[in-house]
Amino acid sequence: MLKTRTWISAAAIGAAALMAGCAAGPNQQLGAGVGALGGAVVGNAIGGNTAATVGGAAIGGLVGNEVGRQRDQQNYNNQYYPDGRRRY
């Protein structure tokens, strides 16, 4: 049982790091990482096995990546810096 949890945790962390590494903007990186971790938790809760956990991490990472990308694009269109200051 302990080995299974270790492998599931390692797979979820690896998937989160992989998804976050592919992202470009700050919100996109955060969204990919949080989405992958959340997806791994949900996938494990639904499926209860490693394949479900890794699949959930992949799907969550993609969804989080897209949400973060849209937020970065919105900030760019509104001319905001990543730290919240407005450009003039």
Side-chain angles (χ1 to χ4, degrees):
M1 181 76 174
L2 185 59
K3 278 189 171 184
T4 303
R5 287 189 181 190
T6 304
W7 279 106
I8 289 171
S9 298
I13 291 169
L18 181 66
M19 291 294 173
C22 296
N27 291 319
Q28 195 172 5
Q29 292 174 353
L30 180 64
V34 170
L37 288 175
V41 169
V42 171
N44 189 21
I46 292 173
N49 58 24
T50 305
T53 303
V54 173
I59 292 170
L62 291 173
V63 171
N65 185 30
E66 184 62 25
V67 170
R69 186 191 66 76
Q70 289 177 359
R71 183 66 181 158
D72 283 335
Q73 186 64 43
Q74 184 180 23
N75 287 344
Y76 177 77
N77 291 341
N78 292 332
Q79 299 297 308
Y80 281 101
Y81 286 114
D83 63 358
R85 293 180 294 140
R86 187 160 174 81
R87 264 186 233 173
Y88 293 106

